Amino acid sequence: MAQFTIPGLTDKQGVRLTELLQKQLSTYNDLHLTLKHVHWNVVGPNFIGVHEMLDPQVKTVREYADEVAERIAALGGSPEGTPGAIVRDRTWDDYSIGRDCVQSHLAALDLVYTGVIEDLRKSIEETEELDPVTQDLLIGHAGQLEQYQWFVRAHLESAGGSLTHEGASSEKDAASSARDQS
Ligand SMILES: [Fe+2]
């Protein structure tokens, strides 16, 4: 239990914000590790472009993890950054693609970004009333992550604007439809 929280917030608000930010911390820790996993496992034509595109994304997401962790501490909570916390907090499965071509990984990563951004937007909605300062932090993250998802999608988009893995609901399905069309 926190002994203090940010001035102007009730203890209850502080606790709810801490829960919401802990989920976000585990999301970011999972995401930067997943991005590195893709960086290491991507192969084939266009390898270097994608391999190098991912490192700035890793760096940014690690910074976002740091920002939300420090806000948890400022709220009087204790940020949990361990692998066990990631596994406990996540509502999704481990990334499921190993060594594979650029198109497969990017299609799977598109689904990863969709999950992350959908959850982030729910937290942005909830913080509207709860705490505009936390909301402002999360809005900044959303804008950048949405741009990163576009970087990923632009590799999978036809001149007509459709995506190679349209309608795929799992990473493996997305990867195989993208692979077939490459
Ligand atoms: Fe590297």
Side-chain angles (χ1 to χ4, degrees):
M1 189 61 196
Q3 300 301 304
F4 62 86
T5 194
I6 287 173
L9 293 172
T10 64
D11 286 350
K12 201 170 158 226
Q13 287 171 321
V15 167
R16 179 60 198 137
L17 283 163
T18 298
E19 287 167 2
L20 185 146
L21 290 167
Q22 175 59 46
K23 170 91 191 299
Q24 203 56 41
L25 175 58
S26 290
T27 298
Y28 289 150
N29 282 334
D30 185 286
L31 180 60
H32 68 69
L33 292 169
T34 297
L35 289 164
K36 266 294 188 194
H37 170 88
V38 176
H39 170 86
W40 295 322
N41 276 284
V42 73
V43 293
N46 304 317
F47 158 80
I48 199 66
V50 171
H51 177 78
E52 288 185 352
M53 174 184 81
L54 293 171
D55 266 343
Q57 300 190 15
V58 171
K59 186 167 176 274
T60 301
V61 175
R62 281 182 57 83
E63 282 165 10
Y64 291 173
D66 190 49
E67 288 174 11
V68 297
E70 291 182 2
R71 184 132 187 95
I72 291 170
L75 283 157
S78 164
E80 294 179 72
T82 59
I86 301 174
V87 172
R88 181 200 63 204
D89 291 340
R90 68 182 177 184
T91 52
W92 54 92
D93 294 327
D94 226 21
Y95 185 74
S96 57
I97 313 295
R99 184 175 54 208
D100 211 327
C101 66
V102 162
Q103 298 300 102
S104 297
H105 273 295
L106 292 178
L109 200 50
D110 180 35
L111 266 60
V112 171
Y113 267 118
T114 294
V116 168
I117 290 165
E118 280 174 356
D119 285 353
L120 181 53
R121 280 180 166 266
K122 282 183 203 141
S123 293
I124 289 171
E125 254 175 60
E126 189 179 339
T127 48
E128 172 81 29
E129 299 287 313
L130 209 50
D131 177 28
V133 179
T134 297
Q135 189 192 42
D136 184 60
L137 180 75
L138 298 179
I139 287 172
H141 295 176
Q144 183 58 75
L145 294 173
E146 287 165 11
Q147 189 200 35
Y148 287 158
Q149 185 179 30
W150 166 61
F151 286 179
V152 168
R153 284 179 163 173
H155 292 81
L156 304 162
E157 193 175 345
S158 71
S162 62
L163 293 171
T164 49
H165 55 296
E166 204 84 68
S169 59
S170 75
E171 289 162 6
K172 284 200 188 303
D173 287 348
S176 73
S177 21
R179 196 185 301 120
D180 291 346
Q181 287 179 58
S182 65

